[in-house]
Amino acid sequence: MDRLDCDRMFLAVIETGSFTAAAEKLGTRSGQASKLISRLETDLGVRLLNRTTRSVVPTEAGRAYYDRLKPLVDELDTLDLDIRNISQSPRGRLRLTAPLTFGTLELAPALNAFAGLYPDIELDVSFSDRVVNVVDEGFDLAVRVGRPGDSSLIIRRLCAVRIVVVGAPSYLEHHDAPASPADLGQHACIIDTNFREPNRWPFKGETGEVEMVSVDGRIRYSNAEACVQAAELGLGFACVPAFVAGEALRSGRLIRLLPSFEPDPYDVHVLYPHSRHLAAKVRLLVDFLSERYRQTPHWERGW
């Protein structure tokens, strides 16, 4: 019996709470599970588990051994996977989460290009504005706009996204363009309810600090694309991420307003769990996205 087999069985017994469940998890018999644990206790010269007819409970030494052993075996498994990926084409499933609008408009084309380069990697992508727990929910990495908010993950900046106020020429034919954010109170505004404070738009004040300006309007959407579409029809001004309005600004269907009052851009980050031996497929995607967004984003060009 290999010592690593004993260690893996010990971990499984602690995590499942029984010899039978641990044996099923590792694909063997409960009798074999008991032999592996006995061999381990003999090798270490200490009792690791207190066994009763109803439960299996670690001793003080058993708990200490588990706490030291678990990260070592996890690291060994990660190393094994990484070496396998290095020795052959990267393969396997890659789970990614990203915000809905940025994901569908901007990230999907990048991921499709990545998929074309690495046909053995399976992409499982969740586009949602819900902030997921990357580790607990089994994701390999996440893309987030704004503050990353999770110091337990490795964070790598991809690019910046400006928040812009836009309006259509048809609206401005009948209304004066706002000279300052305070003037927005006299205008119809299209409200994006995805913002934390939908009726308060951020602008840079005279001191450089962000100031929130109250706005109002009869049209409210929980989607920035819908807000842009309404703005293009002359129904009011919209405050949206630049990547949503970029094409309309380039074509002249929308005009950028109050540019000197725009707040500092939001950063887009990719986040992934710490690992000394990062799986090759994760590293490949992180590097691919970093290179793709290294230049000025395409949505900011031409307007």
Side-chain angles (χ1 to χ4, degrees), residues 80-124:
D80 181 71
L81 176 61
D82 196 39
I83 295 301
R84 290 176 185 272
N85 281 334
I86 289 173
S87 63
Q88 53 186 287
S89 297
R91 62 183 64 247
R93 187 172 67 153
L94 191 54
R95 295 195 69 211
L96 168 69
T97 176
L100 178 61
T101 303
F102 185 82
T104 54
L105 286 182
E106 290 301 327
L107 198 59
L111 294 176
N112 290 336
F114 178 82
L117 292 174
Y118 301 100
D120 292 328
I121 294 179
E122 304 172 22
L123 291 179
D124 184 351

Short mmCIF file of all heavy atoms in Angstrom, two decimals, residues 80-124:
data_model
loop_
_atom_site.label_atom_id
_atom_site.label_comp_id
_atom_site.label_asym_id
_atom_site.label_seq_id
_atom_site.Cartn_x
_atom_site.Cartn_y
_atom_site.Cartn_z
N ASP A 80 0.38 17.96 -10.65
CA ASP A 80 0.18 16.86 -11.58
C ASP A 80 -0.60 17.31 -12.81
O ASP A 80 -0.24 17.00 -13.95
CB ASP A 80 -0.57 15.73 -10.87
CG ASP A 80 -0.80 14.53 -11.78
OD1 ASP A 80 0.18 13.82 -12.08
OD2 ASP A 80 -1.95 14.30 -12.19
N LEU A 81 -1.68 18.09 -12.57
CA LEU A 81 -2.48 18.58 -13.68
C LEU A 81 -1.68 19.53 -14.56
O LEU A 81 -1.75 19.49 -15.80
CB LEU A 81 -3.73 19.30 -13.14
CG LEU A 81 -4.64 19.96 -14.17
CD1 LEU A 81 -5.20 18.93 -15.14
CD2 LEU A 81 -5.77 20.71 -13.47
N ASP A 82 -0.90 20.39 -13.91
CA ASP A 82 -0.11 21.37 -14.68
C ASP A 82 0.93 20.68 -15.55
O ASP A 82 1.12 21.06 -16.71
CB ASP A 82 0.57 22.32 -13.69
CG ASP A 82 1.08 23.58 -14.39
OD1 ASP A 82 0.38 24.09 -15.27
OD2 ASP A 82 2.19 24.02 -14.05
N ILE A 83 1.61 19.68 -15.01
CA ILE A 83 2.62 18.96 -15.79
C ILE A 83 1.97 18.22 -16.95
O ILE A 83 2.51 18.19 -18.07
CB ILE A 83 3.40 17.98 -14.89
CG1 ILE A 83 4.21 18.77 -13.85
CG2 ILE A 83 4.32 17.10 -15.72
CD1 ILE A 83 5.21 19.74 -14.45
N ARG A 84 0.80 17.66 -16.72
CA ARG A 84 0.10 16.99 -17.82
C ARG A 84 -0.26 17.98 -18.92
O ARG A 84 -0.15 17.68 -20.10
CB ARG A 84 -1.18 16.32 -17.29
CG ARG A 84 -0.92 15.12 -16.40
CD ARG A 84 -2.24 14.57 -15.86
NE ARG A 84 -2.01 13.49 -14.91
CZ ARG A 84 -1.90 12.22 -15.24
NH1 ARG A 84 -1.98 11.87 -16.52
NH2 ARG A 84 -1.70 11.29 -14.33
N ASN A 85 -0.67 19.18 -18.52
CA ASN A 85 -1.03 20.19 -19.51
C ASN A 85 0.18 20.69 -20.27
O ASN A 85 0.10 21.05 -21.44
CB ASN A 85 -1.74 21.37 -18.84
CG ASN A 85 -3.19 21.07 -18.54
OD1 ASN A 85 -3.81 20.24 -19.21
ND2 ASN A 85 -3.75 21.72 -17.54
N ILE A 86 1.34 20.75 -19.58
CA ILE A 86 2.55 21.21 -20.25
C ILE A 86 3.01 20.18 -21.27
O ILE A 86 3.49 20.51 -22.36
CB ILE A 86 3.66 21.47 -19.20
CG1 ILE A 86 3.31 22.72 -18.38
CG2 ILE A 86 5.02 21.65 -19.87
CD1 ILE A 86 4.25 22.95 -17.23
N SER A 87 2.85 18.91 -20.93
CA SER A 87 3.38 17.85 -21.79
C SER A 87 2.48 17.55 -22.97
O SER A 87 2.85 16.79 -23.86
CB SER A 87 3.58 16.57 -20.96
OG SER A 87 2.33 16.10 -20.47
N GLN A 88 1.29 18.11 -23.00
CA GLN A 88 0.40 17.90 -24.12
C GLN A 88 -0.43 19.16 -24.32
O GLN A 88 -0.32 20.11 -23.56
CB GLN A 88 -0.52 16.70 -23.84
CG GLN A 88 -1.26 16.79 -22.52
CD GLN A 88 -2.02 15.55 -22.21
OE1 GLN A 88 -3.04 15.28 -22.83
NE2 GLN A 88 -1.55 14.76 -21.25
N SER A 89 -1.22 19.18 -25.37
CA SER A 89 -2.03 20.36 -25.64
C SER A 89 -2.97 20.60 -24.46
O SER A 89 -3.59 19.68 -23.96
CB SER A 89 -2.86 20.15 -26.92
OG SER A 89 -2.01 19.99 -28.03
N PRO A 90 -3.09 21.87 -23.99
CA PRO A 90 -4.01 22.16 -22.89
C PRO A 90 -5.42 21.69 -23.24
O PRO A 90 -5.89 21.89 -24.36
CB PRO A 90 -3.94 23.69 -22.78
CG PRO A 90 -2.61 24.04 -23.36
CD PRO A 90 -2.37 23.05 -24.45
N ARG A 91 -6.07 21.07 -22.27
CA ARG A 91 -7.39 20.53 -22.54
C ARG A 91 -8.22 20.57 -21.28
O ARG A 91 -7.72 20.88 -20.20
CB ARG A 91 -7.28 19.08 -23.04
CG ARG A 91 -6.66 18.12 -22.04
CD ARG A 91 -6.53 16.72 -22.63
NE ARG A 91 -5.63 16.70 -23.76
CZ ARG A 91 -5.99 16.47 -25.02
NH1 ARG A 91 -7.26 16.21 -25.30
NH2 ARG A 91 -5.11 16.48 -26.00
N GLY A 92 -9.48 20.27 -21.43
CA GLY A 92 -10.37 20.20 -20.28
C GLY A 92 -11.31 21.39 -20.22
O GLY A 92 -11.24 22.33 -21.01
N ARG A 93 -12.20 21.35 -19.22
CA ARG A 93 -13.22 22.39 -19.09
C ARG A 93 -12.66 23.60 -18.36
O ARG A 93 -11.93 23.47 -17.38
CB ARG A 93 -14.45 21.85 -18.34
CG ARG A 93 -15.61 22.84 -18.32
CD ARG A 93 -16.86 22.23 -17.75
NE ARG A 93 -16.73 21.92 -16.34
CZ ARG A 93 -17.76 21.88 -15.50
NH1 ARG A 93 -18.98 22.10 -15.94
NH2 ARG A 93 -17.57 21.59 -14.23
N LEU A 94 -13.04 24.77 -18.82
CA LEU A 94 -12.61 26.04 -18.23
C LEU A 94 -13.88 26.83 -17.90
O LEU A 94 -14.62 27.24 -18.79
CB LEU A 94 -11.73 26.80 -19.22
CG LEU A 94 -10.97 28.03 -18.74
CD1 LEU A 94 -10.12 27.70 -17.52
CD2 LEU A 94 -10.10 28.57 -19.85
N ARG A 95 -14.13 27.03 -16.60
CA ARG A 95 -15.35 27.73 -16.17
C ARG A 95 -15.04 29.19 -15.88
O ARG A 95 -14.12 29.52 -15.14
CB ARG A 95 -15.95 27.07 -14.93
CG ARG A 95 -16.45 25.65 -15.13
CD ARG A 95 -17.34 25.24 -13.98
NE ARG A 95 -18.59 25.99 -13.98
CZ ARG A 95 -19.28 26.31 -12.87
NH1 ARG A 95 -18.80 25.98 -11.68
NH2 ARG A 95 -20.42 26.97 -12.95
N LEU A 96 -15.85 30.06 -16.47
CA LEU A 96 -15.61 31.50 -16.39
C LEU A 96 -16.93 32.20 -16.10
O LEU A 96 -17.98 31.82 -16.62
CB LEU A 96 -15.04 32.00 -17.72
CG LEU A 96 -14.98 33.50 -17.97
CD1 LEU A 96 -13.95 34.15 -17.05
CD2 LEU A 96 -14.63 33.78 -19.43
N THR A 97 -16.89 33.24 -15.27
CA THR A 97 -18.05 34.07 -15.02
C THR A 97 -17.70 35.52 -15.35
O THR A 97 -16.56 35.97 -15.14
CB THR A 97 -18.53 33.97 -13.56
OG1 THR A 97 -19.62 34.87 -13.34
CG2 THR A 97 -17.41 34.30 -12.58
N ALA A 98 -18.69 36.26 -15.88
CA ALA A 98 -18.47 37.65 -16.29
C ALA A 98 -19.79 38.40 -16.24
O ALA A 98 -20.87 37.79 -16.34
CB ALA A 98 -17.87 37.71 -17.69
N PRO A 99 -19.75 39.74 -16.12
CA PRO A 99 -21.00 40.52 -16.14
C PRO A 99 -21.75 40.34 -17.46
O PRO A 99 -21.14 40.15 -18.51
CB PRO A 99 -20.51 41.97 -15.97
CG PRO A 99 -19.15 41.86 -15.39
CD PRO A 99 -18.57 40.59 -15.91
N LEU A 100 -23.06 40.45 -17.38
CA LEU A 100 -23.91 40.13 -18.52
C LEU A 100 -23.60 40.99 -19.75
O LEU A 100 -23.30 40.46 -20.83
CB LEU A 100 -25.38 40.30 -18.13
CG LEU A 100 -26.41 40.05 -19.24
CD1 LEU A 100 -26.32 38.63 -19.76
CD2 LEU A 100 -27.82 40.34 -18.73
N THR A 101 -23.67 42.31 -19.63
CA THR A 101 -23.53 43.16 -20.82
C THR A 101 -22.10 43.15 -21.35
O THR A 101 -21.88 42.98 -22.55
CB THR A 101 -23.97 44.61 -20.50
OG1 THR A 101 -25.32 44.58 -20.01
CG2 THR A 101 -23.91 45.47 -21.75
N PHE A 102 -21.12 43.32 -20.47
CA PHE A 102 -19.73 43.27 -20.93
C PHE A 102 -19.42 41.90 -21.50
O PHE A 102 -18.71 41.78 -22.51
CB PHE A 102 -18.77 43.60 -19.79
CG PHE A 102 -17.33 43.69 -20.23
CD1 PHE A 102 -16.84 44.84 -20.80
CD2 PHE A 102 -16.46 42.61 -20.07
CE1 PHE A 102 -15.52 44.93 -21.23
CE2 PHE A 102 -15.15 42.68 -20.49
CZ PHE A 102 -14.67 43.84 -21.07
N GLY A 103 -19.96 40.87 -20.88
CA GLY A 103 -19.71 39.52 -21.35
C GLY A 103 -20.24 39.27 -22.74
O GLY A 103 -19.53 38.76 -23.62
N THR A 104 -21.51 39.62 -22.96
CA THR A 104 -22.12 39.32 -24.25
C THR A 104 -21.60 40.21 -25.37
O THR A 104 -21.40 39.76 -26.50
CB THR A 104 -23.65 39.44 -24.16
OG1 THR A 104 -24.00 40.74 -23.65
CG2 THR A 104 -24.22 38.38 -23.24
N LEU A 105 -21.35 41.49 -25.07
CA LEU A 105 -20.91 42.42 -26.11
C LEU A 105 -19.42 42.33 -26.40
O LEU A 105 -19.01 42.36 -27.56
CB LEU A 105 -21.25 43.87 -25.71
CG LEU A 105 -22.71 44.30 -25.79
CD1 LEU A 105 -22.83 45.76 -25.40
CD2 LEU A 105 -23.28 44.07 -27.18
N GLU A 106 -18.62 42.21 -25.36
CA GLU A 106 -17.17 42.34 -25.53
C GLU A 106 -16.38 41.06 -25.28
O GLU A 106 -15.42 40.77 -25.98
CB GLU A 106 -16.63 43.46 -24.62
CG GLU A 106 -17.05 44.84 -25.04
CD GLU A 106 -16.58 45.16 -26.47
OE1 GLU A 106 -15.50 44.68 -26.87
OE2 GLU A 106 -17.32 45.87 -27.16
N LEU A 107 -16.77 40.32 -24.27
CA LEU A 107 -15.97 39.16 -23.92
C LEU A 107 -16.24 37.97 -24.83
O LEU A 107 -15.33 37.20 -25.15
CB LEU A 107 -16.23 38.78 -22.46
CG LEU A 107 -15.20 37.86 -21.80
CD1 LEU A 107 -13.82 38.51 -21.83
CD2 LEU A 107 -15.62 37.55 -20.37
N ALA A 108 -17.50 37.81 -25.25
CA ALA A 108 -17.84 36.65 -26.10
C ALA A 108 -17.00 36.58 -27.37
O ALA A 108 -16.50 35.51 -27.73
CB ALA A 108 -19.33 36.66 -26.43
N PRO A 109 -16.81 37.70 -28.11
CA PRO A 109 -15.94 37.61 -29.30
C PRO A 109 -14.51 37.19 -28.97
O PRO A 109 -13.89 36.42 -29.71
CB PRO A 109 -15.98 39.04 -29.86
CG PRO A 109 -17.26 39.61 -29.38
CD PRO A 109 -17.46 39.03 -28.01
N ALA A 110 -13.99 37.67 -27.83
CA ALA A 110 -12.64 37.28 -27.42
C ALA A 110 -12.60 35.78 -27.08
O ALA A 110 -11.65 35.07 -27.46
CB ALA A 110 -12.20 38.10 -26.21
N LEU A 111 -13.61 35.29 -26.37
CA LEU A 111 -13.63 33.88 -26.00
C LEU A 111 -13.81 32.99 -27.23
O LEU A 111 -13.23 31.89 -27.30
CB LEU A 111 -14.77 33.62 -25.01
CG LEU A 111 -14.61 34.30 -23.64
CD1 LEU A 111 -15.84 34.06 -22.78
CD2 LEU A 111 -13.36 33.80 -22.92
N ASN A 112 -14.58 33.44 -28.20
CA ASN A 112 -14.73 32.67 -29.44
C ASN A 112 -13.40 32.56 -30.18
O ASN A 112 -13.06 31.51 -30.74
CB ASN A 112 -15.78 33.30 -30.33
CG ASN A 112 -17.18 33.14 -29.76
OD1 ASN A 112 -17.44 32.23 -28.98
ND2 ASN A 112 -18.09 34.02 -30.13
N ALA A 113 -12.64 33.65 -30.18
CA ALA A 113 -11.31 33.62 -30.82
C ALA A 113 -10.39 32.66 -30.07
O ALA A 113 -9.62 31.90 -30.68
CB ALA A 113 -10.72 35.03 -30.85
N PHE A 114 -10.45 32.69 -28.74
CA PHE A 114 -9.64 31.78 -27.92
C PHE A 114 -10.03 30.33 -28.20
O PHE A 114 -9.16 29.46 -28.34
CB PHE A 114 -9.85 32.12 -26.44
CG PHE A 114 -9.11 31.23 -25.49
CD1 PHE A 114 -7.78 31.45 -25.20
CD2 PHE A 114 -9.75 30.17 -24.85
CE1 PHE A 114 -7.08 30.64 -24.31
CE2 PHE A 114 -9.07 29.35 -23.98
CZ PHE A 114 -7.73 29.59 -23.71
N ALA A 115 -11.33 30.06 -28.29
CA ALA A 115 -11.80 28.70 -28.55
C ALA A 115 -11.29 28.19 -29.90
O ALA A 115 -11.00 27.00 -30.05
CB ALA A 115 -13.32 28.65 -28.50
N GLY A 116 -11.19 29.08 -30.87
CA GLY A 116 -10.67 28.68 -32.17
C GLY A 116 -9.20 28.29 -32.12
O GLY A 116 -8.76 27.43 -32.90
N LEU A 117 -8.45 28.91 -31.22
CA LEU A 117 -7.02 28.61 -31.11
C LEU A 117 -6.75 27.32 -30.32
O LEU A 117 -5.75 26.65 -30.56
CB LEU A 117 -6.30 29.78 -30.42
CG LEU A 117 -6.24 31.09 -31.20
CD1 LEU A 117 -5.63 32.19 -30.33
CD2 LEU A 117 -5.42 30.93 -32.48
N TYR A 118 -7.64 26.99 -29.38
CA TYR A 118 -7.40 25.84 -28.50
C TYR A 118 -8.62 24.92 -28.52
O TYR A 118 -9.46 24.95 -27.61
CB TYR A 118 -7.11 26.33 -27.07
CG TYR A 118 -5.90 27.24 -27.01
CD1 TYR A 118 -6.06 28.62 -26.95
CD2 TYR A 118 -4.62 26.71 -27.05
CE1 TYR A 118 -4.95 29.46 -26.92
CE2 TYR A 118 -3.51 27.54 -27.02
CZ TYR A 118 -3.68 28.92 -26.96
OH TYR A 118 -2.58 29.74 -26.93
N PRO A 119 -8.73 24.08 -29.54
CA PRO A 119 -9.93 23.24 -29.71
C PRO A 119 -10.13 22.19 -28.64
O PRO A 119 -11.23 21.64 -28.52
CB PRO A 119 -9.71 22.60 -31.08
CG PRO A 119 -8.22 22.64 -31.30
CD PRO A 119 -7.76 23.90 -30.64
N ASP A 120 -9.11 21.88 -27.83
CA ASP A 120 -9.26 20.87 -26.79
C ASP A 120 -9.71 21.45 -25.45
O ASP A 120 -9.89 20.71 -24.47
CB ASP A 120 -7.94 20.11 -26.58
CG ASP A 120 -7.58 19.25 -27.79
OD1 ASP A 120 -8.52 18.76 -28.44
OD2 ASP A 120 -6.39 19.09 -28.09
N ILE A 121 -9.88 22.77 -25.40
CA ILE A 121 -10.37 23.41 -24.17
C ILE A 121 -11.87 23.66 -24.31
O ILE A 121 -12.32 24.23 -25.29
CB ILE A 121 -9.62 24.73 -23.90
CG1 ILE A 121 -8.15 24.45 -23.58
CG2 ILE A 121 -10.26 25.48 -22.74
CD1 ILE A 121 -7.33 25.69 -23.33
N GLU A 122 -12.63 23.20 -23.31
CA GLU A 122 -14.07 23.41 -23.29
C GLU A 122 -14.38 24.67 -22.47
O GLU A 122 -13.95 24.78 -21.32
CB GLU A 122 -14.78 22.21 -22.66
CG GLU A 122 -14.48 20.88 -23.33
CD GLU A 122 -15.05 19.72 -22.54
OE1 GLU A 122 -15.99 19.95 -21.75
OE2 GLU A 122 -14.53 18.60 -22.69
N LEU A 123 -15.11 25.59 -23.05
CA LEU A 123 -15.48 26.82 -22.35
C LEU A 123 -16.88 26.68 -21.78
O LEU A 123 -17.84 26.36 -22.49
CB LEU A 123 -15.42 28.01 -23.30
CG LEU A 123 -14.04 28.45 -23.78
CD1 LEU A 123 -14.16 29.63 -24.73
CD2 LEU A 123 -13.15 28.82 -22.60
N ASP A 124 -17.00 26.91 -20.48
CA ASP A 124 -18.29 26.90 -19.79
C ASP A 124 -18.43 28.28 -19.15
O ASP A 124 -17.85 28.55 -18.10
CB ASP A 124 -18.31 25.79 -18.74
CG ASP A 124 -19.66 25.66 -18.05
OD1 ASP A 124 -20.52 26.52 -18.26
OD2 ASP A 124 -19.85 24.68 -17.31
#
